[in-house]
Amino acid sequence: MSAAEQRKLELDRKKQRLAEMKSLRKREDEARVQNLLRLPVANGNAQNGSANRQTLSSNEVDEILREVGIAPKSTTREESPAPPQGAHAENHLDPMSASASHPRISSLLSVDLEFSTVQTASTDNKDSAIYSKGTQTDDERISVGEFSLGSQEFDYDDDMIMPLDHGQFRGRAHSRDQDSPISYNEEIAKILGHTKHVDKVLTRQDTEEKKTQSVQTIQPLSDEEKNRLTLDPEFLDSFNRSCKVIGRALNEDIDIFINYTKDPYEKAIASDDLLHLAQVYHDDTWTSKRLVTGMAFSEHHPDLLAVSYGPCDVPNEPPGVIVVWNTKSKRVTAEFIVYCQSEIQSVAFARFHAHLLLAGCESGQICVWDNRLTSRKLPINRSPLTTQAHTQPVSCLAVVGTKNAHNFVSLSRDGRICSWNVDNLTQPVDGKELVTKDGKPASATRMSFPIGEMQTFVVGCDTGEILAASRNGADPAVIKTDVCYKGHSGTLTGIEFHRASGVVDFSHLFISSSHDWTIKLWSTKDANLKFSFESHPDLVLDVAWSPVHPAVFASVDADGNIFVWNLNEDVEGPVARLRAGGEGDTVYMNKLIWSPDGKHVFVGDDEGRVHMYDVRESLYVLKSEEWNRFARVLSDMKESNEDAEKYNL
């Protein structure tokens, strides 16, 4: 039992005991009055005054006073003390001696007692109010010497006339100016000693009781109810959403030591490395031992990264899996996990449909998931297997155009390009075969569209050639390439147009990677502008431009090396390099992508892991001259190529 409950029980017992004592006192007073009324009273004329009234002796009066709790004085009149000597002797008057000279005093002190009938009534009070003698006030309407036998508390003791100067007299002397003749019972005194705090304690207890009554008691769930809840898809959806919200709140990263007076372009940092491993995204159940085949960021939610995974050796597991990771969370958090019954080769978010996730499969089908249907892991829609669509693995996906006029474009290994309406995948809007200038079908591996362009594009082939074409050809069934870029001697593994936008337009630039261990820089405007980067010790598997810095790009190779290039600093080699894994441990890095803000690089390997690396601040916080510097670097590259061609001739 708590201390509050014990205190409450103690107060209840004291209140009950006090009520019993009051009730007993009341019954005794009533009995005493009845006894007094039974005494013979002489009947006579009321005008005769005290002549016809029964009088009591002093002993009887003392006995009555003792019964009601008033201690009588030993004598009715005491001799007046001798007046004090001094100048103030004339101010000291004896009330008893004054009665001989003042008729009013004489009449007040000689009071005849008489019996009268008193009617008493009791009512139940809703609020128990307790008053002490200190709170009582004088009531001039009460005649001198009168008191009620039925009252429980005496407001005044015997009244005295206090003489003042000039014949003035005070009406009465209050009981707190004299020693009260009332003797308190010890038990009553103990109870009344706590009355000052009773009201506060009762008020506090009432408030606690109201709070306790207002709060509903939550009963624990039974095993049957728990099982029913765990099987309810709506409850699981709400519970998972709540867990994600709490996880984001706990993992919020706020730099409380940020210094706004620091130069944002200052290159001095605590670490000398441009790359720092910040996080590894991995799931033992869904991604272990799977090859990362594609990565894409959401434009509506830039912190969401969709990663597609290839098959694994575990039986009865789906061959294609897509996991959407939350890259802002400090802990590894998978927001959505979906799968299909075919290997997934590419993945993309629908730019103008915030909830749709797209994937190209090994079978040639296009699959669509809706992340609002968290309980559904299989696609909500998929394209049919027909000759009008793809019959080979879909290697690339792209959503181009604007919100009011856009297309979903897919490319398969046989060189077929299809345009789709995301809301209807029963058949493509159009489908064309990509052929070279010689009329041969192109075996395409990679595709890229310039920023803000939806017609012209470039395609990398198995032969190492790069084909530039347009979807607005005259032939409704064939896309004939206009330009062919030759330079690679191996299969194209990566190709991407310049992504950063600034004071100088570099959207005509694109880079490519190949199995020939090289990376090459191209321009759709100038055929003489090209440059080769040959620092990788193995097959270059992917390359990507920085979305914010005009001269920065990153690349990965089959030996697990990650290179970061800054052409404004060095055109011969990378400014940062990092090898994933420990010594003697070769990690096959397959895919590469930058975060939309340019602060992180994400790399996927063949073990189902996605490595997130933080880059130095100087690679995403730019000075204004970076654009002009890169323009001068490109001009120098062009002059070097022209000089080399002259010497070769």
Side-chain angles (χ1 to χ4, degrees):
M1 183 181 297
S2 63
E5 295 177 351
Q6 294 179 356
R7 179 63 178 170
K8 182 179 179 181
L9 293 176
E10 183 180 355
L11 290 174
D12 292 340
R13 288 196 298 269
K14 290 184 177 181
K15 290 165 60 177
Q16 183 178 2
R17 191 169 183 178
L18 182 60
E20 293 176 354
M21 295 177 64
K22 288 184 177 181
S23 177
L24 179 61
R25 183 69 175 271
K26 181 179 179 180
R27 289 196 298 271
E28 292 177 354
D29 292 341
E30 291 178 354
R32 187 180 301 109
V33 171
Q34 295 297 329
N35 292 332
L36 293 175
L37 293 177
R38 293 192 187 96
L39 296 177
V41 179
N43 296 326
N45 190 0
Q47 296 178 353
N48 293 334
S50 60
N52 296 328
R53 296 176 184 172
Q54 182 180 359
T55 60
L56 297 176
S57 65
S58 61
N59 292 333
E60 292 175 344
V61 172
D62 294 342
E63 182 65 25
I64 293 174
L65 292 177
R66 288 192 191 96
E67 290 179 359
V68 297
I70 300 177
K73 295 183 181 180
S74 58
T75 59
T76 57
R77 292 186 181 181
E78 295 181 358
E79 294 182 359
S80 302
Q85 299 296 327
H88 301 283
E90 66 276 7
N91 295 332
H92 180 79
L93 297 178
D94 185 2
M96 303 304 297
S97 62
S99 62
S101 60
H102 201 287
R104 181 183 175 187
I105 297 176
S106 176
S107 62
L108 289 175
L109 292 179
S110 58
V111 178
D112 293 334
L113 300 179
E114 65 179 356
F115 292 98
S116 62
T117 303
V118 179
Q119 296 181 357
T120 60
S122 61
T123 58
D124 295 334
N125 296 329
K126 295 183 179 180
D127 296 331
S128 177
I130 301 176
Y131 299 94
S132 62
K133 293 181 65 178
T135 61
Q136 303 296 330
T137 58
D138 294 338
D139 190 352
E140 298 295 341
R141 294 173 298 176
I142 300 177
S143 62
V144 177
E146 294 181 353
F147 62 92
S148 174
L149 294 175
S151 61
Q152 300 299 320
E153 294 183 3
F154 292 94
D155 292 340
Y156 302 98
D157 302 329
D158 293 340
D159 299 317
M160 296 181 62
I161 304 301
M162 301 300 295
L164 295 176
D165 295 338
H166 309 293
Q168 301 291 332
F169 292 90
R170 186 175 299 176
R172 65 177 67 246
H174 197 275
S175 61
R176 61 172 176 261
D177 297 330
Q178 303 176 10
D179 294 334
S180 176
I182 300 178
S183 60
Y184 287 92
N185 187 281
E186 293 181 359
E187 296 181 355
I188 298 177
K190 291 180 181 179
I191 296 176
L192 295 180
H194 299 283
T195 55
K196 295 182 179 180
H197 307 284
V198 168
D199 291 341
K200 295 183 180 179
V201 173
L202 293 178
T203 303
R204 184 170 61 252
Q205 290 180 352
D206 293 342
T207 305
E208 293 177 356
E209 291 178 358
K210 290 180 180 179
K211 291 182 179 179
T212 305
Q213 294 175 359
S214 61
V215 178
Q216 297 181 356
T217 304
I218 301 177
Q219 299 295 334
L221 298 177
S222 63
D223 294 338
E224 181 180 356
E225 292 174 335
K226 292 179 181 178
N227 294 332
R228 186 167 64 251
L229 281 177
T230 54
L231 297 177
D232 187 1
E234 294 183 358
F235 170 77
L236 294 177
D237 185 21
S238 176
F239 180 77
N240 292 332
R241 240 184 356 257
S242 301
C243 291
K244 292 174 184 177
V245 171
I246 298 300
R248 295 190 193 105
L250 294 177
N251 296 321
E252 185 69 21
D253 188 9
I254 301 176
D255 185 9
I256 62 175
F257 299 104
I258 187 171
N259 184 6
Y260 292 102
T261 63
K262 180 182 176 182
D263 184 4
Y265 304 114
E266 185 179 356
K267 293 185 179 180
I269 57 175
S271 175
D272 294 334
D273 298 331
L274 282 174
L275 293 176
H276 171 69
L277 180 62
Q279 188 65 272
V280 177
Y281 297 93
H282 177 73
D283 187 275
D284 294 334
T285 303
W286 293 101
T287 69
S288 181
K289 303 299 180 181
R290 293 178 182 266
L291 176 67
V292 176
T293 59
M295 293 189 292
F297 272 97
S298 171
E299 291 190 6
H300 295 274
H301 306 287
D303 51 340
L304 297 184
L305 173 65
V307 183
S308 61
Y309 299 88
C312 64
D313 298 333
V314 180
N316 300 326
E317 289 292 329
V321 175
I322 297 178
V323 179
V324 179
W325 301 102
N326 187 342
T327 61
K328 295 298 183 182
S329 177
K330 290 184 178 180
R331 60 188 294 269
V332 177
T333 305
E335 295 290 336
F336 311 104
I337 299 177
V338 295
Y339 54 83
C340 66
Q341 300 304 320
S342 178
E343 297 181 19
I344 298 176
Q345 296 294 320
S346 55
V347 64
F349 279 99
R351 289 176 56 192
F352 308 105
H353 298 77
H355 306 288
L356 298 184
L357 187 63
L358 313 173
C361 302
E362 183 78 15
S363 61
Q365 290 179 300
I366 304 296
C367 296
V368 180
W369 291 267
D370 191 335
N371 58 24
R372 292 171 294 186
L373 305 177
T374 56
S375 60
R376 177 160 182 166
K377 304 298 183 181
L378 292 173
I380 62 171
N381 198 1
R382 67 179 67 197
S383 63
L385 290 172
T386 63
T387 56
Q388 296 180 352
H390 298 292
T391 57
Q392 296 291 324
V394 180
S395 58
C396 287
L397 300 175
V399 180
V400 295
T402 61
K403 183 176 181 179
N404 297 325
H406 60 273
N407 289 119
F408 168 42
V409 182
S410 59
L411 173 69
S412 59
R413 291 292 182 87
D414 58 358
R416 185 172 182 81
I417 297 179
C418 296
S419 298
W420 304 85
N421 184 353
V422 178
D423 299 328
N424 184 11
L425 296 180
T426 55
Q427 63 179 7
V429 177
D430 61 27
K432 298 182 180 181
E433 299 290 339
L434 181 65
V435 297
T436 63
K437 286 184 177 182
D438 301 334
K440 298 179 181 179
S443 179
T445 57
R446 294 290 181 266
M447 174 181 63
S448 180
F449 283 81
I451 299 297
E453 184 61 51
M454 61 182 300
Q455 299 300 332
T456 60
F457 61 96
V458 292
V459 172
C461 303
D462 286 341
T463 59
E465 295 179 342
I466 299 175
L467 306 178
S470 176
R471 296 169 57 208
N472 289 336
D475 195 331
V478 176
I479 298 178
K480 193 171 183 179
T481 58
D482 301 328
V483 181
C484 180
Y485 299 92
K486 296 182 179 181
H488 286 292
S489 58
T491 302
L492 265 292
T493 57
I495 188 169
E496 186 177 46
F497 271 96
H498 195 277
R499 297 173 58 193
S501 58
V503 295
V504 183
D505 183 17
F506 297 119
S507 61
H508 58 92
L509 299 178
F510 66 93
I511 51 177
S512 60
S513 61
S514 172
H515 282 174
D516 61 1
W517 299 16
T518 65
I519 300 171
K520 296 189 182 298
L521 176 66
W522 311 86
S523 174
T524 57
K525 292 183 178 180
D526 193 347
N528 293 326
L529 178 58
K530 60 182 179 180
F531 199 84
S532 181
F533 308 95
E534 302 175 357
S535 298
H536 277 283
D538 208 329
L539 306 177
V540 185
L541 299 179
D542 204 0
V543 64
W545 282 105
S546 168
V548 295
H549 199 295
V552 173
F553 63 90
S555 57
V556 294
D557 60 28
D559 195 35
N561 294 305
I562 306 170
F563 286 2
V564 176
W565 307 74
N566 187 352
L567 301 184
N568 286 347
E569 302 293 337
D570 190 357
V571 296
E572 299 294 337
V575 295
R577 62 180 68 196
L578 183 69
R579 192 175 189 277
E583 295 184 2
D585 183 15
T586 301
V587 180
Y588 185 84
M589 295 293 185
N590 188 51
K591 287 295 177 181
L592 169 73
I593 192 173
W594 288 79
S595 62
D597 56 7
K599 297 181 179 180
H600 311 283
V601 176
F602 294 83
V603 181
D605 62 16
D606 60 342
E607 295 292 332
R609 296 169 297 190
V610 177
H611 308 258
M612 183 179 75
Y613 293 92
D614 295 337
V615 301
R616 184 185 289 182
E617 186 179 358
S618 60
L619 296 181
Y620 59 84
V621 178
L622 307 182
K623 297 181 180 180
S624 58
E625 62 266 19
E626 294 289 347
W627 300 89
N628 295 327
R629 287 182 61 187
F630 187 47
R632 291 193 296 269
V633 170
L634 295 178
S635 179
D636 294 340
M637 288 181 178
K638 181 178 178 180
E639 292 180 1
S640 299
N641 291 337
E642 292 176 352
D643 293 341
E645 290 179 359
K646 290 180 181 179
Y647 287 119
N648 291 334
L649 293 176

